Amino acid sequence: VGRALYYHTMVQLLVTVATAVLLLVAGATAQRQGCENATFPAGRSFERCNTLPVLGASLHWTYHAANGTAELAFRATSGSAGWVAWGINPSGAGMPGSNVFVASQGGRGAVSVLTTILRSTAPALDNTTLQFDVPVPPTAEYAAGAYTIYTTVALPGNSTQQNTVWQAGPLSGGDILPHPTSGPNLQSLMRLDFLSG
């Protein structure tokens, strides 16, 4: 009886572990399928992507191990009277300390990208040099209800694991206004491995 109970318990444990692994793989696959069908102009393509968990955003990238850079596209849905941002926080998790790219439209519909460092939770959005190299200057476009920011970054510390942040908020007369401070806007951060996804 003792041996039969042992085998029965082991079988149950193996089934539970196998089910958990399958659920994790299915979740990762579903997350990638949400972004894998994205298309980009001018023949741009990326090796990896993640559908980010909030704010209708996705990140697409190709990691270049030879020089520790990531060529990337960040895409997020937004009305034309809004802005979106993506960045890396080289000093910790959260928004303060993040080095970000902010895309928005001016009064005539031209899309621009501001690079800035968020030094507090109520930052001054000055156009400044980031704390890591940006070998390919950022560009952005607005199409089909979404902004896409394109750039290449040298991953801080030459590490593939980075604290990433993203955000979205309103514009007024072309000026960037603060984003909402509840719900999804407070959940838009994650640790990302640019090597494995």
Side-chain angles (χ1 to χ4, degrees), residues 106-118:
R108 296 185 179 183
V111 178
S112 63
V113 180
L114 170 82
T115 58
T116 193
I117 299 171
L118 305 178

Side-chain angles (χ1 to χ4, degrees), residues 62 64 67-72 88 101 115 129-139 150-156:
T62 300
H64 302 285
N67 61 8
T69 63
E71 177 184 352
L72 59 88
I88 293 175
F101 303 89
T115 58
T129 302
L130 301 182
Q131 295 171 320
F132 47 81
D133 287 337
V134 182
V136 176
T139 61
Y150 301 98
T151 194
T152 299
V153 299
L155 297 175

Side-chain angles (χ1 to χ4, degrees), residues 12 21 25 28 32 34 44 48 52 56 63 89 91 102 118 132 145 154 156 165 170 172 177 180 188 195:
Q12 284 182 322
V21 167
V25 169
R32 285 194 178 91
R44 291 181 191 247
R48 297 191 176 278
L52 301 174
Y63 172 64
N89 189 335
S91 60
V102 184
L118 305 178
F132 47 81
V165 297
S172 177
L177 297 180
S188 54
L195 186 59

